[in-house]
Amino acid sequence: MIKITFPDGAVREYPYGSTALDIAKSISEGLARKVLAANVNGQVWDATRPIPADASLKLLTWDDTEGKSTFWHSSAHLMAEAIESMYPGVKFWVGPATENPPGFYYDMDLGGHQISDEDLRKLEAKMAELAKQNTAYQRKDISKADAIGYFTDKGDEYKLDLLGNLQDGEITFYTQGQFTDLCRGPHIPHTGFIKAVKLTNIAGAYWKGDEKNKMLTRIYGITFPARKDLEEYEALQEEARKRDHRKLGKELGIFTFDDQVGPGLPLWMPNGGIVIEELEKLAKESEDKAGYKRVVTPHIAKESLYLTSGHLPYYQDSMYPPMELEGVKYYLKAMNCPHHHKIFDAEPKSYKDLPYRLAEYGTCYRYEQSGELFGLMRVRCLHMNDAHIYCTKEQFYEEFKAVNEMYLKYFKIFGVDKYVMRLSLHDPAKLGKKYVDEPELWKETEALVRDVLIRTNTPFKEVADEAAFYGPKIDVQIWSTIGREFTLATNQVDFAQGRRFKLTFTNKDNQPETPLIIHRAPLGTHERFIGFLLEHFAGKFPLWLAPLQVKILPISDKSMEYAQTLLDSLKNADIRAEVDDRSEKIGKKIRDTELAKVPYMLVIGEKEMQEGKVAVRRQGKGDLGTKTIDEFILEARKEIKERTPNP
C-alpha cells in the first residue's frame, strides 16, 4: 500500500501503483470525469501514470492553471495528428501550451506546403473528428539509441536535435492514435475531453528562435472542455479586437511605426506625448514622496560596463551589436542598472545614507526578434519607469513592502482589480550557466522575498527557472477589464551586482558592507503600459490622462466668440481643450467627439451664451445639464487632481 497526502492534509492508503485517476474514482465518479492531470510531489503527472510510492497529491481539473496547461499541450498533439494526416511528411519542432495568448501552438516544417485560413477550418474539423474517438494518450519510456533510430528513420532533424541534449532515463514518447512524438508530457487521459476547437492564427517562427535558421510554420490554437466555453472565448475575442491597442493607437493619434525608422521603434504622436507626460508626472509625484532621487544616464556605454555587470554573457542576444570607436566597443543601453550602480559608487556612502533610491525614466534598446515584435507590447526601444534601491538586509522588508504598496496604489488609480505576483525562482541545476553561481545567496534572497509576500498577504505564485540571472524577481501579472492578462513589470532582488561593481557603504561598525539592490519598475515601460491602458479603457482614458479633455461644440457661428472665451478659461485652468469650429450640424459634432473618446463636451448655443453657461455632456453618459464655466472648471479640476477613474 502507498500513503497519499491530499492538499487538506488528509492521508489515505491505496494499492501500490494506483494512478491519480484511480484515486479520483475512489472519491467520486463525477470527480474522475473532470480530472485532467495530477500534481504529484510538486510535479505535474499524467492522471493515468502509476504512483510508485508515498506521495502528496493534488488532482488537477480545468479550474487549475496546470490542468489547463496539460489540456492545451495535449491539444497541440491532437492538432499535430490532424496535420500529419493531411500533410504526410510534416516534421514537428515543439508544441507547448501558452499563457498569453492562452492555448497552444506547434512549430512545424511543412516541406513546402502552404496552409491558409480555409485549411485551418478543415484542420479544426479533423481535430474534432479525432477527439470524438476518445483515444488514450500513452506514455512510453525509451532509450536514447531507440529514440535516435526512430527519428533517423523518419529523417526528422528537428527531433534529433532535441535528443542531443537528453540522456537515457529522461526520454519519453507519447502516442495517441496514429501520432507519436518525443515529449516529456504530461497529457490528459484521452482525447474525448476536448469538446471545442479553434485554430486562431498562422505565423512564421525561426527554428530555435534564431534568424539564421529556417523559418518554420507556427499554428496557434485553443481548445475547451465545453462548447459554451469556446462561445464565451469568441465573444471575448471580438471585444478584444475592438480594444486592440494597435487599432486604437492609430485612431486616437497615440503612436505610429515607420519602415524607414525601423521595426519595433515606435514614434509617439502628440497625443501619445501627452499620455506619456501624465504617466511620468504620476510616477515622479509618487517617487518624490517615497524619497527617490532622480537621475539621467546616457543611451550608450562601453563594453566593459556590461562585462562588469555580467549582462553581456547572459543577455547579449537581446542587445544591439556593438559600435567600435577609437578601438573601444560601445553598446546601446539595454538596461539602466549598471549606470545607476556607477552613480551610487560616485560618492562614499555610509549606513546613514541608506536606503538610497535612484529613479529614472530611462530609454533602453533591446533587439527583439522580428517575429516577436507586436505593437507596443514587444518593441526595440522602450522607456522604463526604472529605479534601484540600495539597502541593508535589515531594511529590505520595509523597502520591498513599500515597492509592492506602490504597485497597489497604481492598480487602484487605473482600476486594476485582478493581479498576481509571480515569484520567479532559480533552477539549482543551472547555476553558473543561466544563474550566478551563489547557491546560499539564492536561498537567502528567495526567502527574503517570499517572507515579504506572505507577511503582507500579497497574492503570489511561485514559478521555477524564471529568475533574473542575478537574483529572484517578481513578474507582475494584471488583467484588463475584459479579462486579458498582461505582464506589467518586474520587481527584482539583486545580490550579485553590488559585489561585481564593488559597491560598499560603511556600516555601523565602521566596516565596508555590500548593499542589497532592489530593481523595480511599477509602471513598466511607456510602451507596454500604454498598450495595456488603451485596451483596458477601450481608448476612453480617464479625464486626467486623456490627451484632449474637453471639446467645445458651438451650435452655430454665432457662438464662436463665446466658444473662444470658454477655451481661454479652460486653458488658463490647465485643462486641455479645443473648439470644434466646423460648419457641421451639432449632432455630427457630438457623434464625432464621442468617437474621438473625448471625456467632456460643452455644447453652446444662443441660450447658453445669453445665460453665461454651458451644456455639459460626458463621453458615453450623455447630457449632464447646464453649468457655469466656473462650476465646470472647479469640478473638472478636482477630477483631474484626484485622478478619478472613469464613471
Side-chain angles (χ1 to χ4, degrees), residues 5-53:
T5 304
F6 292 91
D8 63 359
V11 179
R12 298 181 188 176
E13 289 191 343
Y14 292 91
Y16 174 81
S18 294
T19 68
L21 200 55
D22 293 332
I23 294 169
K25 287 178 181 176
S26 75
I27 298 171
S28 84
E29 287 290 339
L31 174 61
R33 286 193 291 271
K34 296 179 181 178
V35 171
L36 302 174
N39 187 308
V40 179
N41 293 331
Q43 294 185 327
V44 184
W45 279 28
D46 305 310
T48 54
R49 183 177 174 184
I51 301 173

Side-chain angles (χ1 to χ4, degrees), residues 328-588:
V328 178
K329 289 182 179 179
Y330 288 82
Y331 282 87
L332 282 172
K333 180 174 64 171
M335 65 293 297
N336 298 306
C337 39
H339 300 253
H340 288 192
H341 301 336
K342 286 296 185 181
I343 291 174
F344 177 91
D345 197 40
E347 298 173 336
K349 302 288 187 299
S350 83
Y351 68 93
K352 294 180 181 179
D353 297 310
L354 271 56
Y356 192 77
R357 310 178 188 96
L358 297 178
E360 176 183 18
Y361 250 114
T363 305
C364 297
Y365 302 87
R366 296 180 181 172
Y367 188 74
E368 300 283 358
Q369 298 290 336
S370 297
E372 295 179 349
L373 297 175
F374 179 71
L376 293 178
M377 298 303 178
R378 293 294 291 269
V379 293
R380 290 174 172 169
C381 174
L382 38 100
H383 301 79
M384 191 177 300
N385 171 222
D386 215 355
H388 296 87
I389 302 168
Y390 303 82
C391 65
T392 67
K393 287 182 184 178
E394 293 75 23
Q395 294 167 334
F396 177 81
Y397 175 83
E398 290 299 332
E399 290 302 307
F400 206 80
K401 175 186 172 186
V403 169
N404 283 346
E405 287 173 346
M406 188 177 284
Y407 279 99
L408 297 179
K409 169 192 171 183
Y410 291 152
F411 293 165
K412 185 175 181 181
I413 288 172
F414 294 105
V416 174
D417 299 319
K418 183 181 178 183
Y419 64 92
V420 68
M421 308 292 192
R422 284 167 42 118
L423 173 53
S424 299
L425 309 174
H426 78 299
D427 181 350
K430 297 180 181 178
L431 289 173
K433 299 175 184 175
K434 185 176 178 181
Y435 304 110
V436 174
D437 192 5
E438 296 280 2
E440 294 306 314
L441 285 173
W442 276 105
K443 291 178 185 177
E444 181 180 11
T445 50
E446 287 175 351
L448 285 170
V449 177
R450 189 181 292 111
D451 177 60
V452 177
L453 296 172
I454 291 171
R455 288 169 62 186
T456 56
N457 295 315
T458 303
F460 77 99
K461 62 180 179 179
E462 297 190 7
V463 183
D465 196 21
E466 290 190 11
F469 75 86
Y470 47 66
K473 67 174 181 174
I474 287 177
D475 289 311
V476 183
Q477 304 297 118
I478 59 176
W479 280 260
S480 70
T481 51
I482 61 168
R484 291 192 66 192
E485 183 179 0
F486 293 79
T487 300
L488 171 62
T490 62
N491 187 10
Q492 302 169 355
V493 187
D494 181 354
F495 59 77
Q497 288 200 42
R499 294 163 66 183
R500 296 181 73 100
F501 280 92
K502 299 180 181 178
L503 304 182
T504 62
F505 65 95
T506 303
N507 64 23
K508 291 180 181 179
D509 297 324
N510 206 32
Q511 296 297 314
E513 187 176 324
T514 301
L516 270 178
I517 303 170
I518 300 172
H519 304 239
R520 46 108 288 186
L523 292 177
T525 65
H526 288 326
E527 290 72 19
R528 182 177 289 271
F529 193 54
I530 291 174
F532 164 76
L533 292 177
L534 280 165
E535 299 195 10
H536 184 56
F537 293 128
K540 300 173 185 177
F541 290 113
L543 181 64
W544 68 275
L545 195 55
L548 181 62
Q549 295 168 320
V550 178
K551 197 74 172 274
I552 303 168
L553 308 180
I555 292 175
S556 70
D557 290 346
K558 296 178 183 178
S559 307
M560 283 299 176
E561 187 175 341
Y562 182 48
Q564 188 60 50
T565 301
L566 296 175
L567 181 64
D568 292 341
S569 297
L570 291 167
K571 287 188 173 182
N572 288 337
D574 291 326
I575 295 174
R576 297 185 288 273
E578 290 179 359
V579 175
D580 186 340
D581 57 3
R582 298 176 300 163
S583 299
E584 297 284 358
K585 293 183 178 180
I586 192 62
K588 178 169 175 52

Side-chain angles (χ1 to χ4, degrees), residues 316-334:
Q316 189 168 7
D317 289 346
S318 296
M319 297 175 72
Y320 273 88
M323 301 169 280
E324 189 162 331
L325 299 169
E326 300 176 342
V328 178
K329 289 182 179 179
Y330 288 82
Y331 282 87
L332 282 172
K333 180 174 64 171

Side-chain angles (χ1 to χ4, degrees), residues 2 135 195 229 242 272 276 297 451 623 632:
I2 57 173
T135 307
K195 302 294 187 184
D229 294 326
K242 295 176 185 176
I276 285 173
T297 60
D451 177 60
D623 187 10
F632 173 77

